Structures are given as structure tokens and as C-alpha cells.
Amino acid sequence: QVQLVESGGGLVQPGESLRLSCAASGRFSRIDDMGWYRQAPGKSRELVATVTRDGVTGYVGSVKGRFTVSRENAKNTMYLQMNNLKPEDTAAYFCTARSYSSVAGMRIDWGQGTQVTVSS
């Protein structure tokens, strides 16, 4: 099982930046893919960014050029650098990780989320 704790959310004005962190802990052999989802009130959860263990990244079109996802495997931590934030980025952001252990096999876990609010 992987415990995921997001941090770094907050209230910012349009054009400002935030850096989200997702710290993973628990018993596992490895963490494979990780990603960031976001969900605004009344909206479906949206996949924002992904990063493989090898550092290959992917982004939803609306954040390309503004968001950067990265990870430090030695620290079991993933980051989401969000620049030039827009009001439409307002959402709860969730970290997810796919992990493997010899006991539990493959598992997908979610963090509790961190709120990002972009408002003037």
C-alpha cells in the first residue's frame, strides 16, 4: 500500500505560480507511473499530467506549456510546477501512483487532494 500526501495548494491570482508535491510512503517494491488529476465542483475528474518511472511525461492540452510534472524516485516524490495559472485551473488536485509489491501485486492509490484556487 502506498500513502500519498499532496501539498502546495493555495489561493493565487491569475498568472501566478504554484508547485505541488506528492510524497509517497508505505510498503512497496517500486512505484511505476504517477500522475496528477484535478476535479472542480460538479465536474468529472480530469487527468492533468503523468510521469513514468523513467521520466516520460504527458499533459492534457489545456496545461501544455504551463505545467511541468517531474519526480524524484529516490525521494518517492512527484511534483507539479504550475505556471501562469488561470481561473479554469481551479480544482482539487489529486496525486495517484501505480505501485507493485510482492505481497499485494499491482495497486493504484490516491492522495486526499490539495486545493488550488485561482482568482482575482
Side-chain angles (χ1 to χ4, degrees):
Q1 184 179 7
V2 178
Q3 291 80 50
L4 301 170
V5 179
E6 303 97 334
S7 62
L11 173 63
V12 298
Q13 294 183 320
E16 295 294 316
S17 298
L18 284 173
R19 189 193 191 207
L20 306 183
S21 297
C22 171
S25 62
R27 295 179 62 86
F28 50 84
S29 296
R30 66 178 184 271
I31 297 177
D32 297 316
D33 297 342
M34 301 185 76
W36 290 96
Y37 285 77
R38 66 186 180 187
Q39 188 168 27
K43 303 293 184 180
S44 298
R45 189 168 294 185
E46 175 188 37
L47 180 61
V48 176
T50 59
V51 57
T52 70
R53 186 170 182 83
D54 295 329
V56 179
T57 60
Y59 303 91
V60 67
S62 60
V63 308
K64 288 181 179 178
R66 299 188 298 118
F67 290 12
T68 302
V69 63
S70 61
R71 64 191 290 177
E72 297 183 53
N73 292 338
K75 295 182 178 293
N76 291 320
T77 302
M78 177 179 63
Y79 307 95
L80 185 66
Q81 178 67 45
M82 304 184 294
N83 297 327
N84 191 24
L85 283 161
K86 302 177 179 180
E88 51 263 44
D89 296 319
T90 296
Y93 283 72
F94 298 87
C95 170
T96 186
R98 183 174 66 183
S99 64
Y100 176 84
S101 74
S102 60
V103 175
M106 192 275 289
R107 182 182 177 92
I108 298 175
D109 293 284
W110 293 80
Q112 293 296 307
T114 184
Q115 180 66 38
V116 172
T117 302
V118 184
S119 177
S120 59

